Amino acid sequence: MKEGRYIGDTLANAAFVLNPGIRIYGSFEGTETTPSQRDIANHPTILDGQGVREIWNPVTINKATYLNGLVFENGLSLTNPAVIRCMDNITIQNCTFRNNRGTNGNPIMKSNDGTIKQCVFESNEADNILQITQGVEASSVRFENNTANTVVLMDGGGNLKSCLIAHNDGAAVKATSGLLMNCSVVSNSGDGIQSNGRLTVRNTVVWNNESSIVCTSNSGEIFVDTANVSFSAIEGEEVYPGDGNIALENSNQPLFGQAPCFTQNGGTRGAVENCDDSFRLLAISPLRNAGDTNKSGLPTYDVTGSTRVRESRVDIGCYEFNTSAAIDAIDMDQMDLSVYPNPTTDFLTVNVEEGNTTVQIYNMKGSLVMQHSLLTDGQIDVRSLPQGVYVVRCGNRIAKFLIAR
């Protein structure tokens, strides 16, 4: 389909009918010869419900049905989900669900089987934004700035892999069972995870939500461990039960506790004006190289489509550490370590509290270039390092400095 805005049938409850087995590619400017030549962001194909009707009429779909490069906008649920209800296997890729509204308990999308990948759900409103069951896998999907009781309802299972669920008004995930792997559940106004079954959480960060993980029975009784959590970073005063877990402080500033060390503060809960890549990892993040050493079943890509497991272990969360973007994006509010002279030519003095005796120095690619045990004068000999900008870390405190010669 060529770029443009399509409104479909203006008299029916649904603007469009999706026939089984069809493959639809959108966002063509008109000069391309293959789908790979499309510029999806700058030449969108928009299917518009005009705020008065559903986008797709629900039909039984077979596994050959495929949607790619479409924007679903302004859908309104009447008797079905605002955008689509999938009764059978479907693949939806590189699509955006935006400004849709669910009423009468209907979600924006409901799927019983299929694959959702590299999609975006943003600025939608419904009881649930996405409702899935055990036959569905969503990978590299972003859920941002939505308003819902629960953003993702895993009603009887399903898999979320390398997904970002951030800055939504409401709870992020509610599940009776299923899998969250390498996801980032961050800065939502409601609970991070609500589990009343046996949910598995692996290599996932849950931070800065109203509460991190709430486990209950169907009758509402609260349990401690109905979620099976491992190699995950969970905000809380104590480490969440499970192998390889990390307890995080609420602050993103690497001061005295265990901060996640995201590239931006990301501290506002709920919807914000601009959702960017605030939750990428800094080189000093404790989430880097902290995922499960068992690589079986890991997602192949992170939320940006970049290859996962670039170093010795997978990173916790939906972003794999990016050496080209991480250190340069450090927020100046996180700079609380005193170093001098800055710039320096030969020696750097690090002013640290007693007991913090080991420092690490990273280059702007995120590589550790020096590790040093401080003497009483706090001096480090940096004459072996080439001129440039570096980050020095001592415990959870950091500073940038310049070597200029």
Side-chain angles (χ1 to χ4, degrees):
M1 294 180 66
K2 190 175 180 179
E3 64 176 320
R5 185 176 296 272
Y6 299 81
I7 61 175
D9 190 339
T10 59
L11 300 179
N13 285 350
F16 303 93
V17 175
L18 183 60
N19 293 319
I22 196 170
R23 299 175 67 88
I24 301 177
Y25 293 83
S27 301
F28 286 94
E29 184 182 11
T31 59
E32 305 89 345
T33 57
T34 66
S36 62
Q37 296 174 345
R38 295 171 300 165
D39 183 347
I40 294 176
N42 291 317
H43 300 285
T45 296
I46 302 171
L47 306 187
D48 191 347
Q50 298 187 299
V52 295
R53 60 183 55 82
E54 299 152 9
I55 303 294
W56 292 110
N57 186 47
V59 294
T60 299
I61 299 169
N62 62 37
K63 64 181 62 179
T65 305
Y66 181 74
L67 305 178
N68 186 307
L70 302 171
V71 177
F72 309 118
E73 190 172 277
N74 300 323
L76 174 68
S77 67
L78 299 173
T79 58
N80 294 291
V83 174
I84 190 169
R85 183 178 69 184
C86 305
M87 307 301 292
D88 204 340
N89 198 309
I90 187 174
T91 297
I92 301 178
Q93 185 173 6
N94 296 324
C95 291
T96 297
F97 298 70
R98 182 172 60 209
N99 295 329
N100 301 287
R101 189 161 66 92
T103 60
N104 301 318
N106 289 302
I108 302 304
M109 175 180 175
K110 182 177 181 179
S111 184
N112 296 338
D113 197 1
T115 302
I116 308 163
K117 53 187 177 181
Q118 298 164 336
C119 291
V120 176
F121 290 77
E122 62 181 7
S123 302
N124 302 287
E125 182 179 350
D127 283 353
N128 310 119
I129 303 303
L130 175 65
Q131 183 176 343
I132 61 175
T133 60
Q134 63 181 355
V136 179
E137 178 169 301
S139 61
S140 302
V141 178
R142 305 171 70 108
F143 301 87
E144 298 172 308
N145 267 349
N146 300 288
T147 300
N149 290 334
T150 304
V151 176
V152 181
L153 176 62
M154 303 171 72
D155 189 12
N159 296 331
L160 298 183
K161 296 184 177 181
S162 290
C163 291
L164 174 65
I165 309 174
H167 289 304
N168 298 286
D169 284 329
V173 177
K174 183 175 182 179
T176 56
S177 59
L179 170 68
L180 265 69
M181 181 183 291
N182 288 100
C183 292
S184 296
V185 182
V186 286
S187 295
N188 300 287
S189 68
D191 297 331
I193 297 174
Q194 300 173 345
S195 173
N196 62 351
R198 201 63 187 171
L199 177 67
T200 297
V201 180
R202 182 182 170 201
N203 303 333
T204 289
V205 56
V206 184
W207 179 79
N208 194 40
N209 305 285
E210 183 177 14
S211 57
S212 294
I213 301 179
V214 178
C215 299
T216 63
S217 67
N218 289 328
S219 61
E221 182 182 0
I222 296 178
F223 293 99
V224 176
D225 62 349
T226 58
N228 177 20
V229 181
S230 63
F231 296 94
S232 294
I234 311 297
E235 181 186 333
E237 295 181 359
E238 298 180 356
V239 176
Y240 198 91
D243 294 337
N245 291 329
I246 299 171
L248 295 177
E249 296 286 333
N250 179 253
S251 174
N252 190 44
Q253 297 185 23
L255 299 174
F256 308 106
Q258 184 88 306
C261 297
F262 297 124
T263 53
Q264 301 294 328
N265 184 36
T268 301
R269 292 178 183 167
V272 295
E273 287 186 6
N274 180 33
C275 288
D276 51 22
D277 287 331
S278 300
F279 302 104
R280 290 182 181 272
L281 304 183
L282 294 173
I284 61 173
S285 173
L287 282 61
R288 183 182 176 189
N289 288 324
D292 197 341
T293 55
N294 181 2
K295 297 180 181 180
S296 174
L298 292 178
T300 305
Y301 304 103
D302 74 358
V303 72
T304 68
S306 298
T307 302
R308 297 218 74 136
V309 196
R310 297 176 179 173
E311 301 177 280
S312 59
R313 293 167 61 174
V314 70
D315 297 336
I316 291 175
C318 69
Y319 289 98
E320 199 73 5
F321 174 70
N322 185 338
T323 57
S324 64
I327 285 190
D328 197 42
I330 294 178
D331 193 325
M332 291 303 295
D333 290 340
Q334 296 175 299
M335 302 292 180
D336 67 312
L337 182 62
S338 175
V339 299
Y340 60 90
N342 191 6
T344 185
T345 58
D346 46 16
F347 291 91
L348 183 73
T349 298
V350 182
N351 186 14
V352 298
E353 298 175 2
E354 184 179 356
N356 289 333
T357 58
T358 301
V359 297
Q360 297 89 29
I361 296 177
Y362 297 86
N363 63 22
M364 296 306 288
K365 292 183 178 181
S367 300
L368 178 66
V369 295
M370 181 178 290
Q371 184 161 299
H372 188 82
S373 295
L374 291 179
L375 301 176
T376 55
D377 59 3
Q379 280 197 344
I380 304 173
D381 185 348
V382 294
R383 287 177 294 182
S384 63
L385 298 177
Q387 65 181 10
V389 179
Y390 295 86
V391 169
V392 57
R393 175 183 181 181
C394 184
N396 283 314
R397 306 178 70 187
I398 60 175
K400 269 185 180 180
F401 72 96
L402 172 67
I403 297 176
R405 299 188 180 98

